Amino acid sequence: MISSVVISGVGLWTPAYSISNEELVDSYNAWAEQFNAKNFDAIEKGQIEAKPLSSAAFIEKASGIKSRYIYSKEGALDINRMRPILEVRNDEQVSHQAEMAIAAAKKALEAANKKASDIDMVIVSCAYTQRSYPAIAIEVQAALGIEGFGFDMLVACSAATFGLQRAVDAIKAGSSKGVLVINPELTSPQVNYMDRDSHFIFGDVATAVVVESSETCQSAHSFDVLSSKCITSYSNNIRSNFGYTTRVTDEDPYSADMLFHQNGRKVFKEVCPMAADHIESHLKSHGIQVSELKRWWLHQANINMNLLISKRLLGRDATLEEAPVVLDEYANTASAGSIIAFAKHHKDLAAGDIGVICSFGAGYSIGSLILRKR
Ligand code: CO8
């Protein structure tokens, strides 16, 4: 039996390009005005609905998002395209998502003071993979020179926490000596830039975490994983219908139904109490009071959700020190949000301090890890 499972390193890779709310809204509004002018007669006759305009002030107030990073900016703001352009790479080139994953993984290995030979399991866990096979994880494993095995996992916004639970269990069981859990969140290809309700929500990023035994840990900033807990509960309120069968169902791959869409209000109402109850019961099952938490690395979907969840548990607003916010700069990066918050805000904690990483989102899915600074 190993003495404890630790998170010994975290890596954050941020794309070179960003889009501010103002840039995004200017592009959407120009597209909407063009659409409305082109379809003037049909709109007048009530055959189709006019596209409403978006607003940067609404976006910031409703979500807390001010900007987002994007892997490829070209095309995304072009009103005659409204989707990014990704260059096609041949089979001998590193794929886009693997490139993001490798960049984050290298940073995590460095932070953990580890070499490729210390790792024997690679999990690429995110909201989408750009192909089904060979797994992105195996491509990353080969690029980094890691012996062992890798596989991909899809759990939308909870992919990182669910992947970490797999890693923790593998170390605990002794089936692995060191695991890289990588979250290359390339969300922009699935964002509907022609939908004002959701065009502002997502950004691209990659995060990676090294999980190992305390016996092998050589990191200056490591955390014991005291416990992990994952739950799912089926809901259609966040959905994308694009998949490998789209080609044979003859559905339009560009239609709104094929892209990310949600009933945001319902998600907000249903997920906040679920996430708060999940955190509370997880802590309780380990005899930890909410008031003992020094840090909440929460999923970064919406600032108002995070405020509501922490207020429900603490009876007051959490401070930015307690529950750091990164979504103003990064927006919702699917599963990577809580890991970005962890990457940017963990070094100041003292030995013995307890924090919780918690994700919540599509599925619905909720995952949490209770960590104690070593
Ligand atoms: N500009 C101006 N007005 C707008 C805009 C806009 N951009 N968007 C909406 N409005 C309007 C609406 O049409 C509505 O008008 P009306 O009252 O006339 O009907 C009004 O503003 C209010 O709209 P809402 O009620 O929708 O506004 P909310 O206050 O609820 O805020 C949010 C909308 C921000 C979407 C909010 O509901 C929210 O954040 N909900 C939770 C969302 C969430 O957490 N979703 C998780 C999804 S992520 C996930 O699970 C991972 C999926 C995988 C990744 C996908 C990658 C692509």
Side-chain angles (χ1 to χ4, degrees):
M1 283 289 285
I2 58 134
S3 40
S4 78
V5 180
V6 301
I7 286 180
S8 55
V10 58
L12 165 64
W13 176 82
T14 303
Y17 308 104
S18 67
I19 299 178
S20 68
N21 285 350
E22 289 72 22
E23 281 178 281
L24 191 75
V25 165
D26 284 351
S27 155
Y28 169 86
N29 285 350
W31 171 83
E33 276 163 359
Q34 176 182 265
F35 177 94
N36 292 342
K38 264 191 200 159
N39 295 287
F40 182 79
D41 289 341
I43 291 168
E44 284 289 289
K45 285 180 194 151
Q47 291 161 342
I48 54 173
E49 279 185 28
K51 296 289 175 191
L53 296 187
S54 185
S55 128
F58 169 88
I59 294 169
E60 192 175 335
K61 185 162 179 285
S63 68
I65 296 166
K66 295 179 186 166
S67 69
R68 72 282 300 137
Y69 291 97
I70 187 160
Y71 179 74
S72 168
K73 190 168 178 175
E74 194 185 355
L77 302 178
D78 175 352
I79 65 165
N80 296 312
R81 182 174 171 93
M82 302 300 273
R83 62 205 153 91
I85 298 172
L86 274 193
E87 113 232 12
V88 177
R89 293 184 175 175
N90 67 43
D91 291 358
E92 307 316 314
Q93 291 175 293
V94 177
S95 60
H96 292 289
Q97 216 174 5
E99 184 176 305
M100 298 169 68
I102 292 163
K106 283 183 175 166
K107 290 177 182 228
L109 286 172
E110 196 186 331
N113 202 9
K114 293 277 128 177
K115 301 184 294 297
S117 56
D118 298 316
I119 305 293
D120 55 7
M121 182 172 173
V122 178
I123 305 175
V124 163
S125 196
C126 46
Y128 308 95
T129 51
Q130 76 173 88
R131 59 165 191 266
S132 299
Y133 48 86
I136 305 295
I138 304 177
E139 187 182 0
V140 172
Q141 178 199 350
L144 294 175
I146 291 169
E147 283 180 25
F149 67 102
F151 60 90
D152 294 347
M153 272 178 68
L154 301 179
V155 201
C157 286
S158 288
T161 52
F162 278 49
L164 283 168
Q165 189 184 59
R166 304 280 69 70
V168 169
D169 288 352
I171 299 291
K172 232 185 248 171
S175 57
S176 188
K177 63 177 179 182
V179 188
L180 256 173
V181 181
I182 318 173
N183 324 108
E185 292 292 8
L186 184 55
T187 63
S188 52
Q190 260 279 317
V191 174
N192 186 352
Y193 291 100
M194 297 177 288
D195 171 34
R196 82 161 179 170
D197 289 351
S198 64
H199 74 134
F200 58 88
I201 297 180
F202 295 100
D204 297 332
V205 81
T207 51
V209 174
V210 174
V211 181
E212 61 179 313
S213 153
S214 56
E215 278 135 29
T216 54
C217 179
Q218 302 160 337
S219 162
H221 296 284
S222 61
F223 289 79
D224 288 318
V225 182
L226 300 184
S227 170
S228 65
K229 184 178 176 187
C230 299
I231 57 154
T232 50
S233 171
Y234 189 65
S235 165
N236 274 321
N237 286 327
I238 310 169
R239 198 169 170 107
S240 159
N241 286 315
F242 183 80
Y244 83 102
T245 56
T246 303
R247 175 172 166 261
V248 293
T249 55
D250 295 336
E251 290 161 289
D252 174 4
Y254 295 102
S255 72
D257 198 44
M258 291 292 143
L259 301 172
F260 167 89
H261 55 282
Q262 70 167 352
N263 186 334
R265 267 284 149 106
K266 270 199 174 161
V267 173
F268 197 108
K269 272 201 185 135
E270 292 175 2
V271 169
C272 287
M274 278 175 74
D277 292 349
H278 179 94
I279 293 172
E280 191 170 33
S281 68
H282 191 188
L283 292 172
K284 211 171 174 183
S285 66
H286 291 274
I288 300 168
Q289 303 295 318
V290 170
S291 57
E292 290 176 61
L293 281 188
K294 282 281 181 309
R295 191 131 308 153
W296 311 46
W297 298 286
L298 294 178
H299 176 51
Q300 305 278 317
N302 181 305
I303 185 68
N304 301 315
M305 283 178 105
N306 289 16
L307 285 172
L308 198 65
I309 290 166
S310 50
K311 194 166 192 167
R312 204 177 147 116
L313 292 175
L314 282 169
R316 59 168 173 83
D317 285 344
T319 64
L320 283 175
E321 200 190 336
E322 288 169 319
V325 173
V326 302
L327 61 75
D328 52 344
E329 179 184 349
Y330 283 85
N332 182 341
T333 50
S335 78
S338 57
I339 308 300
I340 304 173
F342 177 71
K344 287 183 167 275
H345 302 277
H346 69 277
K347 289 190 177 158
D348 59 316
L349 292 185
D353 283 351
I354 293 178
V356 67
I357 294 180
C358 184
S359 67
F360 36 88
Y364 297 132
S365 57
I366 304 185
S368 55
L369 290 102
I370 305 173
L371 307 183
R372 184 179 55 210
K373 183 89 189 264
R374 283 155 51 82

